[in-house]
Amino acid sequence: MLDSADFIVAIPARYAASRLPGKPLRLLGGTPLVIHVAQRAIAAGAREVWVATDDERIRDALQGTPVQVAMTSAAHASGSDRLAECARIAGWSDEAIVVNLQGDEPFAPPAGIRAVADALAASGAEMATLATPVEDAEALFDPNTVKLVRAASGDALYFSRAPIPWHREGFAQNRQALPPGQWLRHIGIYAYRTGFLQRFAALPPGRLEQAESLEQLRALEAGFRIAVALTPEPFPPGVDTPEDLARAEARLGGA
């Protein structure tokens, strides 16, 4: 059995979230959301945990924790752009494995965080991510649920908001139930080496990325590999709205 990869976790945390302003500092069980996420990264065994932010209030909330903070530009269009600047500030080597953990994932399983780093190290791909089986037809047809297909090698072939692959016979008869087979839902966690992170952030948005609003398609369209591993544990829903926060509070309290 291979040893687990040595990795860093970097958490992009922007204060001005449109649907939940001040999201990183919203309290969950009396603790800011961003600290919950960082604690998951620490529990995963990351050798360093960084928060990349554009707001001093987030930096101040992390004082007294083992988390390091990179103050990054407010102009970044995406989390990967913010992490590329964080990498330059931190001075990581080009070969360092960086896991991009979204700042709204307070219940991200440590085993899943480790799994995406291990998938990158084992595959030799430029990027790695995770997936889990789609559980019902409603999720498959939901454009807010990102689906993917992968090759026999485990590399991603495509990501889409549309239901892929399209089961011609099955869906011609019934779109209320999944035909036999396996459909995969994407989990938005990524691993890459620092050198590739810089290259990726420097690429212009591709036409597929712009059509689907899925940043990972930029890498596929440019010809880079994305290894896809199945998550070893479920990733509970993240926090993006006030309703999500209320559900997270109930979950934390065991309700």
Side-chain angles (χ1 to χ4, degrees), residues 92-139:
W92 301 323
S93 73
D94 282 351
E95 291 303 306
I97 293 176
V98 181
V99 173
N100 179 346
L101 177 61
Q102 299 302 310
D104 56 7
E105 295 277 2
F107 303 116
I113 299 170
R114 289 194 300 273
V116 73
D118 290 343
L120 184 79
S123 67
E126 285 85 9
M127 290 177 64
T129 192
L130 298 180
T132 193
V134 172
E135 296 180 350
D136 54 51
E138 182 180 359

Side-chain angles (χ1 to χ4, degrees), residues 35 165 210 251:
I35 293 182
Q210 294 178 74
R251 179 185 180 89

